[in-house]
Amino acid sequence: MANLLSFFTFSLFFLLSLPSYSISSSSNYTFPQKYFINCGSHSSVPAVAITFSGDLISDSDHSSSAVDPTSRGLAEIYKTARIFRQDSSYELETEETGFYIVRLHFFPFPDLFNAKFDILASGFLLLSNFTVPRNVTSPVIKEFLLPVKDSKLKISFKPQESSFAFVNAIEAFITPQDFIPESATHVTRQGNSNISNKDLSLSALSVVHRINVGGSVITPENDTMRRNWLPDDGYLFIKESAKNHSMFTDSLNYDTERGASRYDAPDFVYKTAKEMNKVVERNDDNLFNITWDFEVNKNGIFFVRLHFCDIISQERNQTVFNVYMNGVYGQPISPFDRLSQMAAPFYVDFVVDSDGSGFMNISVGPRIDSRTQNAFLNGVEIMQLINERGSVQDGNGQTKNRRLLIIAGATIGGVVAVLILVSAVVILFCLKSRKAKPVESGDWQVVNANGTSSHSRTTVRTSPIGSTTPDMNLGLKISLAEIVYATNNFDPTFMIGEGGFGKVYKGTFQDGVKVAVKRSEPGHGQGLMEFQTEIMVLSKIRHQRLVSLIGYCDERNEMILVYEFMEKGTLREHLYSSNEDLGKSSSRSVLSWDQRLEICIGAAEGLQYLHTGLSGPIIHRDIKSTNILLDEHYVAKVADFGLSKSGPPDLTHISTDVKGSFGYLDPDYIRCMQLTQKSDVYSFGVVLLEVLCARPAVNTQLPRDQVNLAEWGLSWQRENQLEKIIDPSLAGKIKPNSLRKFGETIEKCLQEYGTDRPNMVDVLWDLKYALQLQNSAILPQEFHEDSTTDVSWQLALPGIHRLPSIDVSTSIASASESEVFSQLVIDEDR
């Protein structure tokens, strides 16, 4: 690649003075020897226990080194800088996956203050329009914790227009396993909390505050992970309310199975503390809290870790107290309920929503039931969650590949650059196997009105009349007796399928109406929330491309949904046999290409209506071939709205735990936990590949490169050889231009980032165009969409008044492409 800088290597040294402690989550962890980079220099700079190695980059047209001509008594790493005139990246090979600490060091020379740039790493936008203030007198260090699941950590610098980027030094190294938990107690603005419900494993973290409570400054040279800790005095709300506890001089009692390790915080943090300035007697009503105010982003979500170590009490079980977040949520802290020894370090994690004030209040205060009326705190860490992702692009919007590729070389033993390939399939398997967590509604509201959640029909009865759904549409209620009659008491021979909610039976009411009866079963992946969501969604929408809800039943601990009966079953049944998925053998019929296109168009119409045809959009969230049903005439309808989300039209996404079906999950949704309409578009792209290739979205029995259909299909599409993997029954029956348009539609749907995918209205148009190309009478000579003739512009598509999404031909050269496409519309029933 023309713009690639030369490959280079540099050496890093073992950190001999930092011991490897034998601790639970860090028992196999030794402080890493890489990466510590002295940017813009060929020289290595020794520091305490580590060495910053020069990046050894030859200067080029978009990267140069700079040396500060003056001596300011600063560390050597701040006397040089790497300057980027265009988008550039460091790529650091990683030998392990997990959370990485990334520290970026900035101290501008006199001619570097005008720098303005963005920084991305591991796909996350870390800094936007970043500049260093002119009045800084000490280095600016930005620290982040990033989940890295690939074999490389890419750190990208993107200068703003007419500006440049720079960096003095970079630190990047893996943390111990479980250093950041998957989840933590979530505290909302109102003080509500759901235990362990805020997933952290897919978010990056930006360090906002790191405070040594009751102690002094801790420099990187005195910290086990090279962190900076500041004293807490400037953050106290009432300084007289607290006093420093004298430095603890004995050894700490680390219990690494239930408590903290030396890597979670250094001894200096746990050996100092703030406590109440006076010990209040039990009968004294003058109880008070110690409160700290920390400035934070008004609209952020924050990971908060509070460090505790009882160096205060004179004996066991003497001090029990409360900790409060923003004054609206309290949690008791009882050191000896956690650990059996005195002076045993531990920490408590929270995820806290900003209250909009621009400050976060953290308080500790005594409890009446404590033997000693006291409270203490040893340390505070506050980090903001980063979910915004981006890519480095040039001025034309094209992703750049300019990079500074770093290959690490170890100077003491070992083999360098051991790459661990973490495929999307493995990531999805991990997500699949993770313990399920309650869904968070984030900014949007769950469609159901009741916020209760349960996966057991026997534990949710709160209504005096025994109904789980007192607020549902009573006009849709069907008695259990009617359903028992229709299904012959749920006769196993009437069962026609089984899914995440439970078993599905064919039924016939006394008036002869045929129905599909979906009966919830304890232990399945969906429960009361999904039951209510399905009712609330389908009771207020009707569309010819959505399966109609006839009614529901919630008597005698039952959760039953009754739908119109779709005679031909699921789309998947007509593409391939899937005993594993359906729990039974299924016959396979061969659908023609025209039929498959009509089915895809029908499903796309249903999704388009959900996304745009209502006062607020609905995201289906579980699009797959088993949720597209066919009637007796093979007319397709979208089904199963149990995981759906809805919201007002002006919101762009919903932050929520990842839910959906393995193989269909949007990778952008997995990374950011931000559900959008484009998540449905990605899932629909997988369905399009199923329709074309007649194989499951995931098949672990195939060779590794074929396991994931989306990846495998895209690789063939990008080679323009999609015809090699189509269903053999379609061989020679698809016209080249129809296949070409269909393949392009798939590729657009399966783009890695949601912003790069089309809307469903565009997908629908392209599918109709592919059908028109299949049925075109322009034979025997096939035309191509990028032909210089204008024949493709003359095709008559019924009900569509829009030009195709193809290259503009010479016959309309008088109009610009933007002018042409600004006039494209589709007439659709809303």
Side-chain angles (χ1 to χ4, degrees):
M1 194 174 299
N3 290 318
L4 268 178
L5 296 183
S6 302
F7 287 85
F8 62 93
T9 62
F10 64 91
S11 299
L12 300 170
F13 297 94
F14 284 104
L15 308 180
L16 299 177
S17 62
L18 288 178
S20 175
Y21 298 101
S22 178
I23 57 181
S24 59
S25 63
S26 308
S27 57
N28 297 320
Y29 182 80
T30 300
F31 190 87
Q33 57 179 315
K34 59 184 181 182
Y35 291 91
F36 301 95
I37 307 171
N38 182 25
C39 301
S41 174
H42 293 196
S43 302
S44 295
V45 175
V48 175
I50 65 166
T51 296
F52 283 87
S53 299
D55 56 12
L56 303 180
I57 302 176
S58 299
D59 296 343
S60 71
D61 61 338
H62 66 282
S63 172
S64 60
S65 60
V67 179
D68 187 357
T70 64
S71 176
R72 307 179 188 179
L74 292 171
E76 290 295 322
I77 61 172
Y78 298 113
K79 295 184 178 181
T80 62
R82 175 66 55 189
I83 301 173
F84 306 104
R85 304 292 177 183
Q86 299 180 35
D87 299 352
S88 307
S89 300
Y90 287 90
E91 284 194 0
L92 312 179
E93 295 181 350
T94 59
E95 297 180 359
E96 298 178 73
T97 60
F99 268 90
Y100 277 69
I101 287 178
V102 173
R103 293 193 190 100
L104 305 171
H105 296 255
F106 306 95
F107 194 86
F109 312 152
D111 56 347
L112 298 184
F113 281 108
N114 294 327
K116 188 175 183 180
F117 52 97
D118 299 342
I119 298 180
L120 301 91
S122 194
F124 292 94
L125 180 60
L126 304 185
L127 296 172
S128 179
N129 293 329
F130 176 69
T131 60
V132 179
R134 287 184 173 274
N135 59 350
V136 296
T137 58
S138 59
V140 175
I141 302 174
K142 296 293 184 179
E143 180 175 335
F144 307 90
L145 284 92
L146 308 177
V148 177
K149 301 183 181 298
D150 301 316
S151 60
K152 290 181 181 179
L153 169 59
K154 184 176 182 179
I155 304 173
S156 301
F157 295 81
K158 180 181 179 182
Q160 295 296 305
E161 186 175 358
S162 302
S163 189
F164 58 92
F166 79 95
V167 63
N168 300 86
I170 296 175
E171 299 178 60
F173 55 89
I174 194 168
T175 64
Q177 184 181 3
D178 301 326
F179 188 72
I180 298 296
E182 282 194 358
S183 57
T185 300
H186 183 201
V187 181
T188 66
R189 287 189 177 195
Q190 295 75 29
N192 302 322
S193 174
N194 294 315
I195 301 300
S196 298
N197 73 341
K198 195 66 179 179
D199 195 330
L200 296 166
S201 62
L202 299 174
S203 295
L205 302 171
S206 173
V207 176
V208 181
H209 298 287
R210 185 176 285 124
I211 307 299
N212 181 23
V213 179
S216 58
V217 172
I218 301 175
T219 63
E221 292 75 17
N222 296 313
D223 182 88
T224 50
M225 300 282 281
R226 288 189 48 81
R227 292 163 291 206
N228 283 290
W229 300 74
L230 299 178
D232 68 301
D233 298 298
Y235 302 95
L236 274 171
F237 186 67
I238 300 176
K239 291 181 172 54
E240 295 76 18
S241 65
K243 64 179 181 181
N244 291 342
H245 188 81
S246 58
M247 173 73 76
F248 187 74
T249 56
D250 294 337
S251 297
L252 298 175
N253 296 310
Y254 284 97
D255 182 346
T256 56
E257 291 187 2
R258 294 175 293 175
S261 77
R262 289 180 174 88
Y263 288 110
D264 295 310
D267 284 3
F268 294 108
V269 170
Y270 292 121
K271 286 188 174 185
T272 61
K274 274 279 196 311
E275 62 177 321
M276 293 174 63
N277 199 23
K278 64 175 182 176
V279 178
V280 183
E281 297 296 333
R282 182 181 298 274
N283 296 327
D284 193 337
D285 292 332
N286 187 28
L287 299 179
F288 62 90
N289 298 331
I290 310 171
T291 300
W292 293 264
D293 277 352
F294 299 100
E295 188 173 0
V296 297
N297 190 305
K298 290 183 178 181
N299 301 310
I301 301 176
F302 300 89
F303 173 66
V304 179
R305 173 165 289 177
L306 303 182
H307 296 270
F308 299 97
C309 184
D310 192 352
I311 57 175
I312 307 294
S313 303
Q314 300 301 312
E315 56 184 275
R316 290 161 50 96
N317 292 322
Q318 189 174 12
T319 305
V320 179
F321 56 96
N322 290 328
V323 61
Y324 303 95
M325 307 302 300
N326 282 335
V328 295
Y329 174 77
Q331 179 171 316
I333 302 296
S334 181
F336 293 97
D337 286 346
R338 295 172 173 269
L339 303 164
S340 59
Q341 302 183 76
M342 298 278 291
F346 66 96
Y347 57 81
V348 180
D349 291 338
F350 302 91
V351 172
V352 182
D353 293 346
S354 172
D355 64 1
S357 67
F359 290 89
M360 181 183 296
N361 296 329
I362 298 174
S363 305
V364 294
R367 291 173 56 92
I368 294 295
D369 57 356
S370 177
R371 291 171 55 192
T372 300
Q373 300 299 293
N374 202 357
F376 63 86
L377 181 62
N378 301 76
V380 177
E381 293 181 271
I382 301 176
M383 310 177 194
Q384 184 169 351
L385 273 66
I386 301 174
N387 288 320
E388 187 174 358
R389 305 183 72 88
S391 59
V392 179
Q393 296 182 333
D394 63 18
N396 298 320
Q398 301 297 318
T399 300
K400 286 201 170 188
N401 292 316
R402 297 189 179 99
R403 56 187 175 176
L404 313 177
L405 183 59
I406 297 179
I407 304 176
T411 58
I412 304 179
V415 179
V416 298
V418 179
L419 301 179
I420 301 176
L421 300 178
V422 183
S423 68
V425 175
V426 176
I427 294 174
L428 293 178
F429 267 122
C430 293
L431 288 169
K432 182 81 171 179
S433 63
R434 277 202 323 222
K435 184 178 179 181
K437 304 177 181 67
V439 176
E440 274 295 298
S441 60
D443 294 327
W444 286 15
Q445 296 298 314
V446 183
V447 187
N448 61 293
N450 191 327
T452 317
S453 178
S454 173
H455 295 288
S456 172
R457 292 179 292 170
T458 62
T459 61
V460 297
R461 299 303 178 198
T462 57
S463 170
I465 62 172
S467 173
T468 60
T469 54
D471 298 324
M472 294 301 166
N473 187 338
L474 297 180
L476 293 177
K477 292 195 72 170
I478 299 174
S479 70
L480 182 59
E482 290 180 85
I483 294 174
V484 168
Y485 173 86
T487 61
N488 195 25
N489 198 19
F490 300 105
D491 187 335
T493 62
F494 284 31
M495 195 177 80
I496 57 176
E498 186 171 8
F501 187 79
K503 294 178 180 177
V504 183
Y505 299 83
K506 180 180 180 180
T508 305
F509 285 137
Q510 291 181 340
D511 59 3
V513 174
K514 292 182 180 181
V515 293
V517 177
K518 186 190 293 186
R519 185 189 191 195
S520 173
E521 287 193 347
H524 277 65
Q526 298 182 21
L528 178 62
M529 179 175 289
E530 290 78 13
F531 178 65
Q532 293 176 327
T533 299
E534 187 97 357
I535 297 170
M536 294 297 289
V537 170
L538 288 178
S539 64
K540 65 182 180 181
I541 61 175
R542 284 289 186 270
H543 191 272
Q544 60 183 351
R545 296 301 192 177
L546 304 179
V547 172
S548 297
L549 177 70
I550 293 176
Y552 71 93
C553 174
D554 61 351
E555 297 177 20
R556 299 183 186 179
N557 295 331
E558 293 282 358
M559 291 190 293
I560 299 172
L561 297 167
V562 181
Y563 305 90
E564 64 173 309
F565 183 68
M566 301 293 285
E567 186 73 37
K568 297 298 184 181
T570 71
L571 170 60
R572 180 176 298 184
E573 294 175 55
H574 297 276
L575 297 175
Y576 53 88
S577 299
S578 183
N579 297 344
E580 178 183 357
D581 294 323
L582 296 177
K584 65 182 184 68
S585 61
S586 62
S587 61
R588 174 183 172 186
S589 61
V590 178
L591 297 171
S592 70
W593 181 237
D594 280 53
Q595 284 179 304
R596 299 187 199 206
L597 286 173
E598 292 282 8
I599 289 168
C600 293
I601 289 168
E605 287 175 343
L607 279 176
Q608 184 205 350
Y609 173 77
L610 291 175
H611 289 180
T612 63
L614 301 161
S615 57
I618 294 176
I619 303 175
H620 188 282
R621 200 177 169 196
D622 197 19
I623 292 297
K624 55 185 177 181
S625 55
T626 51
N627 285 339
I628 297 173
L629 305 184
L630 308 176
D631 69 7
E632 67 273 23
H633 303 297
Y634 291 94
V635 173
K637 298 187 180 185
V638 178
D640 198 342
F641 295 83
L643 298 182
S644 298
K645 295 280 188 177
S646 72
D650 56 337
L651 291 180
T652 59
H653 70 273
I654 174 172
S655 297
T656 176
D657 283 355
V658 176
K659 281 198 173 184
S661 295
F662 181 45
Y664 300 86
L665 285 168
D666 168 14
D668 211 7
Y669 173 32
I670 294 172
R671 285 188 296 263
C672 304
M673 296 174 59
Q674 292 184 345
L675 181 69
T676 70
Q677 296 175 30
K678 300 299 184 67
S679 300
D680 280 351
V681 173
Y682 181 90
S683 301
F684 190 68
V686 179
V687 171
L688 295 181
L689 267 177
E690 279 187 276
V691 167
L692 181 65
C693 303
R695 56 146 287 184
V698 173
N699 188 342
T700 57
Q701 305 302 314
L702 293 174
R704 184 172 181 177
D705 64 335
Q706 300 180 29
V707 169
N708 185 281
L709 175 60
E711 292 184 351
W712 184 60
L714 268 183
S715 65
W716 286 99
Q717 165 62 21
R718 288 166 178 164
E719 294 293 329
N720 295 318
Q721 297 182 4
L722 199 58
E723 69 279 359
K724 293 188 177 180
I725 62 169
I726 65 174
D727 182 354
S729 67
L730 296 175
K733 300 177 182 178
I734 307 178
K735 292 184 179 179
N737 280 309
S738 179
L739 179 60
R740 181 184 179 189
K741 173 53 67 178
F742 194 80
E744 290 174 354
T745 306
I746 290 171
E747 185 173 5
K748 288 187 285 187
C749 289
L750 296 181
Q751 290 298 302
E752 183 176 1
Y753 296 106
T755 54
D756 297 328
R757 299 175 203 144
N759 296 313
M760 280 309 304
V761 65
D762 300 307
V763 176
L764 175 59
W765 192 93
D766 283 342
L767 291 173
K768 288 184 176 181
Y769 187 58
L771 179 61
Q772 187 70 21
L773 291 171
Q774 178 67 16
N775 296 323
S776 170
I778 304 176
L779 289 176
Q781 180 181 0
E782 288 278 1
F783 64 84
H784 294 282
E785 291 173 337
D786 55 356
S787 171
T788 55
T789 71
D790 62 355
V791 65
S792 62
W793 297 89
Q794 301 170 4
L795 295 175
L797 276 67
I800 301 180
H801 309 290
R802 170 175 175 168
L803 297 176
S805 53
I806 58 177
D807 294 336
V808 181
S809 70
T810 57
S811 63
I812 58 167
S814 59
S816 69
E817 185 174 357
S818 61
E819 290 172 337
V820 171
F821 282 87
S822 67
Q823 304 173 43
L824 306 187
V825 294
I826 281 187
D827 292 336
E828 291 294 338
D829 294 332
R830 296 295 177 91

